Amino acid sequence: MSDIGSAKVRLYVEQPLGQGQSVPLTRDQAHYLFSVMRMGVGDAVLAFDGTSGEWLARVAEAGKRAGTLVCESQTRPLQMPPDLWLLFAPIKKARTDFIVEKAAELGAARICPVQTAFTNAERIRQDRLQAHAVEAAEQCGGTYVPEVCNLQKLDTVLANWPKGRRLMFCDEALVGAGRSLGDAPRGPWAILIGPEGGFSGAERDRLRALPFAHPVSLGPRVLRADTAAVAALTVWQQALGDWT
């Protein structure tokens, strides 16, 4: 029989996990475990559901289109990320996928695509992006999967901004200006990354006027949108997140 050290796969499941819990596999999960990974009855899997931590489970039934796991013991408790949202303007498909994956790995609790004046994309595949967040959590050892929201207009998001949440506004107009978070307080935050064409003048004026917004610079060079997302998450985590 396998043990935790020989578990080759981490799997996100939507059913709550617990001691002795039976977990039915989806068709795609069964195909991956039994056809791709060549696993069989008795093999170990590390499973997590986003709320119950990580569990050692074993394959109880294995078929081409279905299967069942049974939970044995909890291996790790739930580790929640900081209360941090990432707001970003969607770009080309592969690079949008990259932003979602890295946001999940770097500890964003919620990922929110927003449409700005210069955003090229008018729609997204929310289900596909959510699947990328799941895959990132499976691969990086996370026990929590961030929600990926549907595309919303930036104006709408700002008009309904929740009280008490601060906004780290990454302003490309501040390149080289040395503007950082400084002694900003901890608590609920969001990061806003603009599109490839930058923010419009009206958007920048509105953002700078918001009492909860903190304009920052991401260094002396203009970054691509996907690079900026990774850089901003890193800056915030080191200053105010769970890296300190």
Side-chain angles (χ1 to χ4, degrees):
M1 298 285 281
S2 304
D3 59 17
I4 184 173
S6 64
K8 298 181 293 183
V9 174
R10 295 186 80 248
L11 196 66
Y12 172 75
V13 298
E14 295 187 354
Q15 180 168 326
L17 302 177
Q19 182 74 38
Q21 179 69 50
S22 178
V23 182
L25 297 172
T26 66
R27 181 172 179 171
D28 288 344
Q29 289 171 335
H31 172 75
Y32 176 66
L33 292 184
F34 310 135
S35 297
V36 177
M37 299 302 294
R38 304 293 184 184
M39 298 178 68
V41 172
D43 285 337
V45 175
L46 294 174
F48 66 103
D49 61 3
T51 58
S52 308
E54 179 188 80
W55 287 75
L56 175 65
R58 295 192 189 277
V59 177
E61 299 175 343
K64 291 183 178 180
R65 299 183 179 182
T68 305
L69 305 177
V70 175
C71 293
E72 289 192 348
S73 59
Q74 189 183 59
T75 54
R76 292 170 58 196
L78 175 66
Q79 182 180 10
M80 291 292 294
D83 189 359
L84 174 66
W85 299 355
L86 174 67
L87 281 60
F88 74 98
I91 46 180
K92 293 180 180 179
K93 179 180 175 181
R95 289 165 62 191
T96 294
D97 294 347
F98 174 88
I99 290 174
V100 170
E101 291 166 1
K102 299 312 166 189
E105 292 178 25
L106 290 167
R110 194 176 189 191
I111 303 170
C112 307
V114 293
Q115 188 171 23
T116 68
F118 299 146
T119 302
N120 291 326
E122 295 183 356
R123 60 181 59 87
I124 61 165
R125 281 281 307 277
Q126 186 271 342
D127 58 339
R128 184 176 59 81
L129 294 179
Q130 186 67 65
H132 280 293
V134 168
E135 292 172 6
E138 289 174 340
Q139 293 171 9
C140 76
T143 56
Y144 175 85
V145 177
E147 174 192 5
V148 180
C149 305
N150 242 320
L151 183 66
Q152 300 181 72
K153 291 184 177 181
L154 178 61
D155 286 344
T156 301
V157 173
L158 295 177
N160 296 285
W161 196 257
K163 184 178 180 180
R165 184 173 298 275
R166 295 177 173 84
L167 178 66
M168 175 176 160
F169 162 40
C170 302
D171 187 357
E172 72 277 5
L174 295 177
V175 168
R179 292 283 295 276
S180 68
L181 287 168
D183 58 354
R186 294 177 183 268
W189 275 82
I191 294 170
L192 174 61
I193 302 294
E196 294 289 80
F199 294 102
S200 69
E203 287 171 336
R204 186 173 290 108
D205 289 344
R206 181 181 183 185
L207 286 162
R208 287 178 174 174
L210 294 172
F212 54 81
H214 295 250
V216 299
S217 167
L218 294 179
R221 289 167 289 278
V222 177
L223 304 179
R224 290 189 350 174
D226 48 347
T227 308
V230 173
L233 285 161
T234 302
V235 167
W236 188 91
Q237 282 283 28
Q238 288 183 325
L240 301 172
D242 58 7
W243 293 14
T244 56

